[in-house]
Every structure is written in structure tokens, then in C-alpha cells.
Amino acid sequence: MILPKVRDPRFVTIRRGGTLTDADHRLLALWAASCAEHVLGLFESARPGDLRPRHAIEHARAWTRGEVKMMQARAAGGHAMAAARDLRGAARHAAYAAGQAGVVAHVAAHELGAAAYAIKAVRAAAPEGLGEAAGRVECQWQRDQLPEAIRELVLDDQALRNDICWSVFHC
């Protein structure tokens, strides 16, 4: 479980009683899509014919442009997570990262799921003994991709949820 028991109002849109603007919600979705896409090859090398994770990332981006409805992006995210079910290791984590990116349209707080699963994918793909270092490099790459408008929010979220996200946000 990567979501906190109590929803953080910073990740709830204003129209639903939180403080998250639509613009920042879209930035979170784009960042999550970038995190997932960065490791997508780890899934595609294991299942080259399975496009579900790629479609989830594409739907996340399409949602930010208003080209698909939230329900379509969420469904694509669910299909990507289904693609992970019978896999192990890096490919599984990469598919979950894509799935989490797809569902950010529905629940903004899934942004960390995409990032955390991407880090887990890189760790799993690294040669023996190098997983932690590879994870730190991925974590830093992700932070370098953060738009300034959401940087502080995401970094604070990482600090608050690091324990429930497998402690991957130490970089």
C-alpha cells in the first residue's frame, strides 16, 4: 500500500475540498508518466508485444491535454497493473510504475507510486550488489525532472511516505 491512511489535502483537488489545482494535478501526472516511461524498457524487453503499460503512460499524458477522460486513464492504469501480475522483478515493477502513472488522473497521490515502482524496477535490474546505488541514481534522475511548481510538494510527500514506499526515496 503506497497511499497514506489519511488523504493529504494537498493531493485532493480544490473542487473536492483539497488544495490541489488542476494545473498542478496535470504536472503530477506528467511527472509520474516520465518516471514510468524511464523504466518502461524493462517491461517491454520481457513482454515486447504487451502494450498495456505503454498505453497507460500515453493515457496519463492524454488526460493532461484533455484528450481522454479520467476514467479512461484510470482504466488504462489498471490494465497496466494487470500486465504485471504474472511477472517478477524489474519487468513487474516497471508495469506497476506505468499503472500508477495512469491512475494519477483519478488520485493524484499515486504520483509517488509511479516513482517508487520505477526505482524498484531499476534496483531489480541492476547487477548483484549494485541495486541500492542504481536506485539512488534513478531517484535523483526523477528529482531532476520535477517541475518547479510541484517540486516542494513532491519532495515533502517523499519524506512523509518514504516508509510506506519501501524507503526508496533516499538519494
Side-chain angles (χ1 to χ4, degrees), residues 48-167:
D50 191 339
L51 298 176
R52 291 176 291 179
R54 179 170 294 282
H55 286 160
I57 294 166
E58 290 169 357
H59 273 72
R61 290 194 172 115
W63 173 78
T64 69
R65 296 186 302 265
E67 296 170 3
V68 301
K69 301 285 186 194
M70 176 277 292
M71 293 294 285
Q72 293 170 285
R74 184 177 80 170
H79 294 307
M81 288 187 261
R85 286 194 187 115
D86 66 335
L87 295 171
R88 297 288 173 259
R92 179 184 181 114
H93 299 313
Y96 277 136
Q100 292 288 310
V103 299
V104 171
H106 176 42
V107 175
H110 281 289
E111 104 288 358
L112 275 197
Y117 276 113
I119 292 168
K120 284 184 66 131
V122 167
R123 283 179 172 180
E128 189 172 336
L130 299 177
E132 291 297 317
R136 283 191 299 277
V137 169
E138 180 67 16
C139 179
Q140 189 57 57
W141 179 88
Q142 292 174 358
R143 288 181 178 180
D144 290 344
Q145 308 314 302
L146 277 168
E148 194 58 39
I150 60 168
R151 184 176 186 74
E152 184 177 325
L153 175 64
V154 171
L155 294 179
D156 188 54
D157 196 27
Q158 287 181 346
L160 290 173
R161 290 201 281 157
N162 195 38
D163 288 345
I164 62 174
C165 289
W166 313 287
S167 300

Side-chain angles (χ1 to χ4, degrees), residues 19-71:
T19 61
L20 184 66
T21 66
D22 288 343
D24 285 350
H25 193 174
R26 287 188 296 273
L27 288 175
L28 289 168
L30 288 170
W31 179 71
S34 293
C35 292
E37 186 174 53
H38 197 236
V39 299
L40 184 59
L42 297 171
F43 172 83
E44 291 180 334
S45 65
R47 295 278 167 82
D50 191 339
L51 298 176
R52 291 176 291 179
R54 179 170 294 282
H55 286 160
I57 294 166
E58 290 169 357
H59 273 72
R61 290 194 172 115
W63 173 78
T64 69
R65 296 186 302 265
E67 296 170 3
V68 301
K69 301 285 186 194
M70 176 277 292
M71 293 294 285

